[in-house]
Amino acid sequence: MGSRTRRIPRLSVDTVAECLHAALAAPSIHNTQPWLFRVHGREIEVWADRTRQLSNLDPSGRQMFISVGAAIFNLRLALLARGRIPVLRLLPEPGLHELAARIQAGPTTVPSPTAGVLATAITRRHTNRRPFQADAVPWPVLDDLIAAAAAEGARLAVADPIVRDAILSLTWTADEVLNRDEGYRAELDAWTGGQPERRDGIPSYAYPPQDTTGRLPLRHFGPPAAAAAFERRPTLVRLTTHDDTPYDWIRAGQALQRVLLTATTRRLVASPVNQALEVAELRRLVSGHGYAQMVLRIGYGNAARGTPRRSLFDVLAKETSVSG
Ligand SMILES: Cc1cc2nc3c(=O)[nH]c(=O)nc-3n(C[C@H](O)[C@H](O)[C@H](O)COP(=O)(O)O)c2cc1C
């Protein structure tokens, strides 16, 4: 009919590498980095790597898929920031449970300023387990975080003081229950500390200091190097989804990452406080309507140091070719 189909350009090897590096910077449970990528021309497949799933803490793979979802969000954003519309299909093949997404680099576009700013936050975002300043997070900023979660199909709710104290108390209980389990402790041991050249797990410099107020139930990764007084009135937010399937977990992961990057652009820092979601009976209490996927403590604080990541070579499925 006279209209010409415009050819969708290839992805250069450099662009693929940059986008994959962005994906690797995503947060993951215990820094397990449970993802693998396959590149076919301008399509990137994102797979969950079951060999890195925490079989004791996360038998359903919920937190593994949330982590993979966060990596998918970074990949989408990196493509967009490089002027390509990301075309996303989640869980595309019913029988292949580990294939989380196919992302194609679609037609070229001019990225919005917001996408550009969010993309610059990818390498600046780090989990911060140190005390935050006492300043409250202003409501317009919280509204931006709520909108970020909503844009990815999840709900972010700010806990009022009563709910916050209830969540903290449930988290203490959960922490105690979890620590009674040898399997939980063994898994933590396996994913913490280690040699300085280790490229996954949580290094000792990222452990939280001992909280002298005894109020905040941050996960105990190993012996703290120091003691410090944490904020008395922490701001806690809950990320929830309507349902609780792998699809919802991947959506939650994308929402989590959009929230964290938005927070980073507003000079906020964050750390998850998730233990209550890891004990089924307590998770129900934290959830309210829907299913709680993450509890985050947010606030203002000094920049935290980044944790290590594996190399591209480690996360590319072996038959992959990035020749575009
Ligand atoms: C699904 C999920 C659950 C997490 N749960 C916790 C948690 O309960 N406590 C905590 O301190 N960090 C938690 N984290 C943060 C990870 O430990 C962190 O992302 C990882 O060590 C990599 O460090 P980074 O976020 O600084 O890049 C969680 C992250 C994800 C994605």
Side-chain angles (χ1 to χ4, degrees):
M1 304 277 290
S3 70
R4 263 202 239 141
T5 339
R6 233 197 271 142
R7 204 171 163 273
I8 300 179
R10 293 172 161 211
L11 277 182
S12 72
V13 175
D14 285 351
T15 304
V16 171
E18 285 165 15
C19 292
L20 290 176
H21 274 297
L24 301 193
S28 60
I29 177 74
H30 290 10
N31 199 18
T32 47
Q33 305 166 41
W35 40 61
L36 282 172
F37 304 90
R38 273 203 179 111
V39 183
H40 307 282
R42 57 186 179 81
E43 180 174 274
I44 301 175
E45 293 175 359
V46 186
W47 293 72
D49 181 352
R50 291 264 181 209
T51 66
R52 298 184 152 257
Q53 180 177 351
L54 301 176
S55 54
N56 187 282
L57 183 67
D58 186 31
S60 67
R62 183 179 70 82
Q63 302 201 67
M64 174 184 72
F65 276 114
I66 292 177
S67 309
V68 170
I72 290 171
F73 184 79
N74 277 5
L75 198 47
R76 280 170 51 200
L77 181 61
L79 277 170
L80 188 58
R82 283 162 184 76
R84 301 297 293 268
I85 295 175
V87 182
L88 174 71
R89 280 194 303 144
L90 290 186
L91 296 177
E93 265 107 278
L96 294 177
H97 302 300
E98 283 78 31
L99 177 55
R102 290 181 192 279
I103 305 174
Q104 279 194 1
T108 54
T109 185
V110 178
S112 68
T114 313
V117 172
L118 267 193
T120 65
I122 289 176
T123 51
R124 284 187 289 123
R125 179 220 59 84
H126 306 299
T127 300
N128 189 325
R129 302 184 185 87
R130 305 200 158 264
F132 299 165
Q133 291 159 21
D135 312 52
V137 183
W139 266 105
V141 178
L142 292 170
D143 281 340
D144 286 348
L145 304 185
I146 291 168
E152 299 300 324
R155 180 161 183 267
L156 193 79
V158 182
D160 65 29
I162 293 174
V163 173
R164 174 196 63 206
D165 289 350
I167 293 176
L168 289 178
S169 158
L170 293 171
T171 309
W172 276 115
T173 307
D175 201 59
E176 213 182 298
V177 172
L178 291 169
N179 274 296
R180 265 189 245 135
D181 177 4
E182 242 174 65
Y184 170 81
R185 284 187 273 116
E187 232 165 34
L188 261 183
D189 272 356
W191 287 100
T192 49
Q195 299 300 317
E197 58 275 14
R198 184 173 178 182
R199 305 190 78 162
D200 57 11
I202 302 182
S204 54
Y205 63 75
Y207 300 171
Q210 172 84 43
D211 177 15
T212 55
T213 72
R215 190 162 149 69
L216 264 184
L218 293 185
R219 202 192 293 275
H220 181 80
F221 292 104
F230 279 69
E231 65 275 17
R232 297 194 63 75
R233 295 184 198 82
T235 301
L236 293 190
V237 295
R238 270 177 307 179
L239 185 75
T240 56
T241 51
H242 273 303
D243 224 323
D244 203 29
T245 67
Y247 183 83
D248 301 287
W249 303 334
I250 298 172
R251 296 290 297 268
Q254 293 182 85
L256 166 71
Q257 187 61 359
R258 191 161 179 153
V259 167
L260 291 175
L261 294 181
T262 305
T264 305
T265 65
R266 305 290 190 278
R267 291 185 295 109
L268 284 168
V269 291
S271 63
V273 203
N274 274 335
Q275 297 97 309
L277 309 187
E278 292 158 358
V279 178
E281 296 82 351
L282 303 179
R283 183 176 176 217
R284 244 170 264 135
L285 295 175
V286 177
S287 289
H289 300 295
Y291 294 86
Q293 304 294 353
M294 294 287 294
V295 175
L296 296 173
R297 175 177 73 106
I298 56 173
Y300 296 97
N302 297 329
R305 189 170 153 194
T307 50
R309 291 295 186 275
R310 291 181 299 150
S311 70
L312 270 193
F313 180 79
D314 293 326
V315 298
L316 276 176
K318 294 307 166 228
E319 73 275 25
T320 285
S321 108
V322 287
S323 56

